[in-house]
Amino acid sequence: MRKVQEEFRAALKTRQDQHQDTTGASEPVDDGIPFPPLLGRGGPTFGHDPDEVYLEDIELSPDQEDACHLLLKKFFDEDEQELELSGPAGSGKTTLVRDVIRRIEEEYGTYVHLLTPTGRAAVRLCQVTGRPVATIHSVLYGGPTRDAKGNLVWSDPGPPCSAGEVVVVDEASMVGGKLADAIRGVMPADSKLLAVGDKEQLPPVKDTWGFNLGDPTALLTKIHRQAAGNPIIAMATAIREDRFDEWADEYGFDDERLCALEGYDTALEWAVERAKKDADAVCLVFTNRLRQRLNREIRVGVGLPADDVLVAGDKLLVRVNNRRVGVMNGEVFTVESVEERPGEADVYGSSRVVEVYVEETDQPLLINMDHFNGDRNAWWEWKKLTSRRDQRWVHCHHGWALTVHSAQGSQWDDVAFLWDRSFSRLGERNPDDARRMLYTAVTRAAKNLAVVTV
């Protein structure tokens, strides 16, 4: 992932410089504004050379082949403008999407753009497809500029592609109605949209799906051989089919890839052990209260302060996009150094302002510590009232433990999900929400999963 992020940031700077040279556009001024878009508005893609995506042969299974033919038929023979592809973990959605892209471009001569709802999801999609990817917001909305009087001028949504081209939106289960309508509203004539998602995952917070994943154009249901032997996929399948209790009773938990643990202290030990090794691991929880406690105690376990401060070696979860410093919502970074800015605190209406240098970025992040680990909406309200002369403001949390909602669209090698009483109560009052929450948590694990009852 680090290599991909470095490639992205290099591409970001290059494309920004090219945009200034060719358009003379005024300098964007905000920091929490998503990255600039791909087409005609100066924005970056990130990832590999598009020509490299076809280096590996793709062999589809019969069900994937049927779905591929159906999607191409609907797009090009029946001229439908919007299609949906859904399938659970292990069904091969990514394999199918890669082949759909290849066929659209080779057989129909039409370019395909890839979009995701979050930055971390974009990095992951870039890794598995080898193609440039951008976040939805970065394509739709350019950063604000200042007019001759210094007033902010906001851009309207821009098109995600050119006329006749195809847009693929991955992790579409995270896209709500308002954002989906914004995409549809700026699609050029004769362009086409394919939404790809897992209808078993959580819907967007306080929203419903913007795309019809409940009754998609093509639905993959078969779990393929290479995935069927994976106990994590087996557990996810049992959750999806609403037979988790029966599966758990039969499963011996004798596979090192999937284990059941007990006790908060055990979960804490699991997390601290991996944190000390700098492993690609995360703890996922249901509530923010447990997230905050776990972050605090993991930090103590690795020798960091317990309070809401930032020091070298900390894990930092970014909660907004910031094109100026090249960070994306959902990314987790390691802090290299923290510098106080006491002279700036009064200017920005804050008791404490710090500059934070993280791995893989050249520009420091600017953080109002009054809102660190706090509510993002409150941060935005403060942001509206403060001076905008510095463009590096970022809202952040400690990133040793995350809520399941924050983890959507991401994967780690090792994941521990803490099954606490709050999650059990969710299961009692809303079984379907609890099922989707558990399914989403389980499918964040790429190699190893621990389910910890606390």
Side-chain angles (χ1 to χ4, degrees):
M1 178 173 291
R2 181 169 299 178
K3 180 180 179 181
V4 175
Q5 291 170 329
E6 290 173 351
E7 291 175 355
F8 162 62
R9 293 190 173 92
L12 170 64
K13 185 178 187 305
T14 299
R15 291 184 64 110
Q16 287 173 341
D17 293 343
Q18 290 173 343
H19 180 58
Q20 288 293 103
D21 292 342
T22 58
T23 68
S26 52
E27 183 71 14
V29 298
D30 202 1
D31 57 317
I33 303 303
F35 295 107
L38 304 176
L39 296 172
R41 293 155 61 104
T45 57
F46 52 98
H48 304 283
D49 186 333
D51 293 335
E52 295 180 359
V53 71
Y54 306 132
L55 292 179
E56 297 181 12
D57 292 333
I58 300 173
E59 183 175 348
L60 299 186
S61 63
D63 65 319
Q64 292 170 329
E65 191 69 48
D66 290 344
C68 183
H69 281 301
L70 177 60
L71 293 172
L72 295 177
K73 177 182 177 182
K74 292 287 187 181
F75 264 157
F76 297 101
D77 293 342
E78 301 178 14
D79 200 28
E80 294 197 17
Q81 303 300 303
E82 181 176 321
L83 305 179
E84 305 85 17
L85 167 65
S86 184
S91 62
K93 292 189 300 297
T94 300
T95 298
L96 174 56
V97 167
R98 289 182 60 185
D99 202 58
V100 168
I101 293 170
R102 179 185 64 80
R103 295 189 190 189
I104 288 175
E105 294 189 338
E106 289 185 353
E107 298 175 17
Y108 297 92
T110 300
Y111 188 75
V112 180
H113 301 267
L114 300 183
L115 305 180
T116 64
T118 67
R120 190 173 176 99
V123 172
R124 179 177 175 274
L125 184 61
C126 170
Q127 288 179 307
V128 298
T129 63
R131 292 183 62 90
V133 188
T135 62
I136 297 170
H137 285 85
S138 72
V139 173
L140 294 188
Y141 304 97
T145 58
R146 292 191 187 276
D147 61 19
K149 296 181 179 180
N151 298 317
L152 287 174
V153 179
W154 297 83
S155 60
D156 293 326
C161 65
S162 298
E165 294 182 333
V166 175
V167 172
V168 174
V169 177
D170 196 29
E171 296 289 348
S173 61
M174 299 174 64
V175 179
K178 184 176 180 180
L179 183 56
D181 286 342
I183 298 171
R184 296 184 184 104
V186 294
M187 291 289 288
D190 298 326
S191 58
K192 302 179 187 300
L193 175 65
L194 173 61
V196 181
D198 185 345
K199 67 187 186 73
E200 303 300 329
Q201 287 196 31
L202 291 165
V205 179
K206 298 180 181 179
D207 205 343
T208 58
W209 288 326
F211 300 107
N212 187 17
L213 296 178
D215 185 21
T217 311
L219 176 64
L220 299 176
T221 58
K222 181 181 178 182
I223 304 302
H224 294 281
R225 181 178 302 173
Q226 64 272 27
N230 186 323
I232 298 173
I233 297 298
M235 180 176 177
T237 302
I239 296 168
R240 174 173 57 87
E241 296 176 350
D242 203 19
R243 54 179 180 84
F244 172 68
D245 290 342
E246 295 85 349
W247 177 88
D249 289 340
E250 296 175 1
Y251 181 65
F253 289 96
D254 55 357
D255 191 310
E256 63 180 9
R257 293 174 291 178
L258 174 57
C259 64
L261 305 175
E262 292 186 6
Y264 177 84
D265 289 344
T266 302
L268 182 60
E269 181 181 353
W270 182 98
V272 170
E273 178 184 351
R274 284 157 180 78
K276 288 181 176 179
K277 296 178 180 178
D278 196 25
D280 183 31
V282 70
C283 286
L284 300 182
V285 300
F286 171 46
T287 66
N288 277 306
R289 177 178 295 181
L290 183 56
R291 172 187 64 81
Q292 291 167 347
R293 176 189 175 188
L294 197 55
N295 270 310
R296 182 171 60 250
E297 295 183 8
I298 292 173
R299 296 178 74 247
V300 171
V302 297
L304 301 180
D307 52 5
D308 281 350
V309 299
L310 278 173
V311 297
D314 249 322
K315 294 293 184 182
L316 192 67
L317 169 68
V318 175
R319 301 293 290 135
V320 294
N321 290 333
N322 184 323
R323 61 169 291 276
R324 293 292 298 172
V325 293
V327 298
M328 298 172 285
N329 179 20
E331 284 191 290
V332 177
F333 294 96
T334 300
V335 175
E336 291 185 330
S337 65
V338 179
E339 297 183 8
E340 299 283 344
R341 291 184 59 175
E344 303 289 340
D346 290 340
V347 175
Y348 295 112
S350 171
S351 63
R352 185 177 175 221
V353 173
V354 296
E355 278 187 338
V356 178
Y357 289 81
V358 299
E359 293 180 352
E360 303 160 7
T361 64
D362 296 327
Q363 291 289 324
L365 317 181
L366 197 60
I367 298 177
N368 177 355
M369 293 302 293
D370 291 347
H371 292 276
F372 180 70
N373 274 336
D375 178 69
R376 182 165 50 182
N377 290 331
W379 180 87
W380 277 115
E381 290 302 315
W382 164 82
K383 184 69 169 57
K384 292 177 183 177
L385 299 175
T386 193
S387 168
R388 292 174 179 265
R389 66 185 177 86
D390 200 315
Q391 304 169 41
R392 295 172 294 145
W393 291 108
V394 179
H395 183 244
C396 298
H397 292 167
H398 282 126
W400 304 92
L402 312 178
T403 63
V404 177
H405 272 111
S406 294
Q408 279 191 275
S410 304
Q411 276 194 322
W412 291 261
D413 286 346
D414 297 349
V415 171
F417 174 65
L418 276 64
W419 188 314
D420 65 347
R421 286 179 291 179
S422 294
F423 181 69
S424 294
R425 288 194 291 269
L426 174 66
E428 293 169 0
R429 67 175 183 269
N430 195 327
D432 188 62
D433 279 2
R435 181 183 63 81
R436 292 181 184 278
M437 178 79 66
L438 182 59
Y439 178 87
T440 302
V442 167
T443 53
R444 299 313 91 199
K447 295 182 179 179
N448 304 297
L449 172 68
V451 179
V452 190
T453 54
V454 299

